[in-house]
Amino acid sequence: MIFSSALIETAVNEFARMPGIGKKTALRLVLHLLKQEPAQVQQFSEAIARMRQQIRFCKLCHNVSDEEICSICASHSRNKTLVCVVENIRDVMAIENTQQYNGVYHVLGGIISPIDGIGPDQLNIHSLVERVQQQEISEVIMALSPTIEGDTTIYYLSKKLQGVPGNPVKITTIARGIAFGGELEYADEMTLARSITNRLPLENYMQK
Amino acid sequence: MIFSSALIETAVNEFARMPGIGKKTALRLVLHLLKQEPAQVQQFSEAIARMRQQIRFCKLCHNVSDEEICSICASHSRNKTLVCVVENIRDVMAIENTQQYNGVYHVLGGIISPIDGIGPDQLNIHSLVERVQQQEISEVIMALSPTIEGDTTIYYLSKKLQGVPGNPVKITTIARGIAFGGELEYADEMTLARSITNRLPLENYMQK
């Protein structure tokens, strides 16, 4: 692509580095910004720079945070004895958006995947074991993806947590089954089989 | 969507203002930037701010430019007697990418469209007439979209330019016809009819 301006070329190349944005989309975004007021573009540019410079990770749960302790861990209305273990901060947002969960989180920063060279030492596992040792935690919910790596991580974590001396912590996983609105006949066999094995009393279903 | 960080929320909202980018895509882009080195994100942010602050529009052709006169108008190898009239800077880029055109441009900044409240006064028409009056221009090529608004603009411009005293300037339009690789049977009737009326001698076709 030929640009008559080096300024535009640089901006397009920077946009095109992002996932899912090619040169043509990058150009469209840059031309859109060109039409905006300079002050508005300045605001956009500053929001991005500030976000990356000032963002911190919560000392307790490793979630993104504006402070040393994130707003979830700092909240008095949260149940601190209930810890939900997730892979990344996007999962925290997904669960928060359901507005149904009242406990706190622990962000692993990934899952155990030998094929990608990710072992337990690269993840925030040590700090989870410490939390269970030092704080009063009654239940740890494993909210990891139902893949081989996810199951491996759940197995590894459960062995680690069950080895913590003192009161044994209750370990649970989120329910697997047919999604709401999902068609039974299109569900894979494993999900269908598990959803029959782990069938629920009608009262639970009606509650939703 | 619930964010546990105001910094992230602001950045997502800024991204989501752009055309074709919704909240989910914006979040994906922000999380991608979070994973990058701070220096790289700074570079991205600065490229955008600098582009908007420092960009200028060529005094002659109104194309985007890093200097007072754009690189096309300033080039000695360009034929200054040939002016191609286009709607916007994206059209300049499209024609430049063909690497076939050796003249200069004139960017109107839009086309006449009464329904959108855009009249001749909002466009860079006066400066085009001035160029034809003051410079030695032999031909003006109308490279506007083949729509009603485009045709109206071509008609208006041709009347204006033909009224310029002195040597009459030659006015041409880009060829309409069946696109290369286009199937004849799927072409619309008007394009097909025009492409028969304006048929070319075989020599022209072979040149491409």
Side-chain angles (χ1 to χ4, degrees):
Chain A
M1 219 183 270
I2 297 169
F3 300 93
S4 55
S5 153
L7 291 166
I8 289 191
E9 186 167 6
T10 312
V12 167
N13 288 339
E14 286 289 336
F15 264 114
R17 281 196 202 177
M18 303 239 255
I21 294 190
K23 284 260 171 154
K24 286 215 168 182
T25 309
L27 178 61
R28 192 158 53 90
L29 297 177
V30 165
L31 293 182
H32 167 80
L33 288 178
L34 260 191
K35 274 191 263 169
Q36 305 302 306
E37 290 297 312
Q40 206 170 334
V41 177
Q42 189 67 31
Q43 193 184 316
F44 172 68
S45 150
E46 274 170 14
I48 292 163
R50 202 168 48 234
M51 186 265 297
R52 185 65 191 86
Q53 278 162 6
Q54 297 179 8
I55 203 80
R56 296 160 79 170
F57 292 91
C58 175
K59 267 176 74 174
L60 293 173
C61 72
H62 308 282
N63 187 16
V64 284
S65 170
D66 298 349
E67 312 289 334
E68 196 167 64
I69 305 291
C70 80
S71 56
I72 297 173
C73 287
S75 164
H76 289 295
S77 61
R78 291 287 188 146
N79 178 0
K80 305 283 163 59
T81 68
L82 190 60
V83 175
C84 181
V85 175
V86 292
E87 187 180 333
N88 56 43
I89 52 178
R90 210 185 301 203
D91 297 335
V92 174
M93 286 188 196
I95 297 175
E96 281 299 288
N97 275 316
T98 67
Q99 305 196 345
Q100 293 289 320
Y101 178 66
N102 192 37
V104 291
Y105 295 91
H106 192 90
V107 180
L108 291 180
I111 46 177
I112 297 175
S113 173
I115 221 165
D116 299 317
I118 301 175
D121 295 341
Q122 273 100 60
L123 305 176
N124 300 320
I125 290 178
H126 183 69
S127 56
L128 175 64
V129 175
E130 266 186 3
R131 280 177 85 177
V132 172
Q133 278 171 341
Q134 293 167 3
Q135 293 167 31
E136 230 175 82
I137 287 166
S138 61
E139 184 176 345
V140 174
I141 306 170
M142 303 286 177
L144 300 178
S145 298
T147 57
I148 293 176
E149 289 83 7
D151 284 350
T152 308
T153 310
I154 291 176
Y155 183 77
Y156 181 88
L157 286 177
S158 61
K159 285 288 164 204
K160 274 273 180 188
L161 295 178
Q162 280 160 355
V164 172
N167 269 344
V169 67
K170 187 175 163 194
I171 298 173
T172 54
T173 69
I174 51 169
R176 315 284 186 210
I178 310 294
F180 283 100
E183 297 256 9
L184 211 73
E185 56 179 318
Y186 298 125
D188 64 294
E189 288 167 19
M190 197 159 162
T191 305
L192 195 51
R194 282 222 211 170
S195 77
I196 291 174
T197 313
N198 302 326
R199 60 194 177 278
L200 297 170
L202 191 61
E203 301 89 82
N204 292 27
Y205 182 78
M206 290 311 194
Q207 278 177 6
K208 276 192 191 170
Chain B
M1 217 183 274
I2 297 168
F3 300 93
S4 55
S5 153
L7 291 166
I8 290 192
E9 185 166 7
T10 312
V12 166
N13 288 339
E14 286 290 339
F15 265 113
R17 279 196 203 177
M18 302 239 255
I21 295 189
K23 283 260 171 155
K24 287 216 166 181
T25 308
L27 178 61
R28 194 158 53 89
L29 297 178
V30 166
L31 293 181
H32 167 80
L33 288 178
L34 259 191
K35 275 192 261 168
Q36 306 300 307
E37 290 297 314
Q40 207 170 333
V41 177
Q42 189 66 30
Q43 193 183 314
F44 171 69
S45 148
E46 275 169 13
I48 291 163
R50 202 169 48 234
M51 186 265 297
R52 186 64 191 89
Q53 276 162 8
Q54 297 179 10
I55 203 78
R56 298 160 78 170
F57 291 89
C58 175
K59 266 176 74 174
L60 293 173
C61 73
H62 307 283
N63 186 17
V64 285
S65 171
D66 298 349
E67 312 290 333
E68 196 167 63
I69 305 292
C70 79
S71 55
I72 297 173
C73 287
S75 164
H76 289 295
S77 61
R78 291 288 189 146
N79 179 358
K80 305 283 163 57
T81 67
L82 190 60
V83 175
C84 181
V85 176
V86 293
E87 186 180 335
N88 56 42
I89 53 178
R90 210 185 301 202
D91 297 335
V92 174
M93 287 188 195
I95 296 175
E96 282 299 287
N97 275 315
T98 66
Q99 305 197 345
Q100 294 288 320
Y101 178 66
N102 193 37
V104 291
Y105 295 91
H106 192 90
V107 181
L108 291 180
I111 45 178
I112 297 173
S113 173
I115 220 165
D116 301 316
I118 301 174
D121 295 341
Q122 273 99 59
L123 306 176
N124 300 320
I125 290 178
H126 184 67
S127 55
L128 175 64
V129 175
E130 265 187 1
R131 280 177 87 176
V132 172
Q133 277 171 339
Q134 293 166 4
Q135 294 166 30
E136 231 175 83
I137 287 167
S138 61
E139 183 176 346
V140 174
I141 307 170
M142 303 284 176
L144 301 178
S145 298
T147 57
I148 293 175
E149 288 85 5
D151 285 349
T152 308
T153 311
I154 291 176
Y155 183 76
Y156 182 87
L157 285 178
S158 61
K159 286 286 164 206
K160 273 274 180 190
L161 294 178
Q162 280 160 354
V164 172
N167 268 343
V169 66
K170 187 177 164 193
I171 298 173
T172 55
T173 69
I174 51 170
R176 315 285 187 209
I178 310 293
F180 282 100
E183 298 254 9
L184 210 72
E185 58 180 316
Y186 298 124
D188 64 293
E189 286 167 21
M190 196 160 162
T191 305
L192 195 53
R194 280 223 213 169
S195 76
I196 291 174
T197 314
N198 303 326
R199 62 193 175 278
L200 296 171
L202 192 61
E203 300 89 81
N204 291 29
Y205 183 77
M206 291 309 195
Q207 278 177 6
K208 276 190 191 168

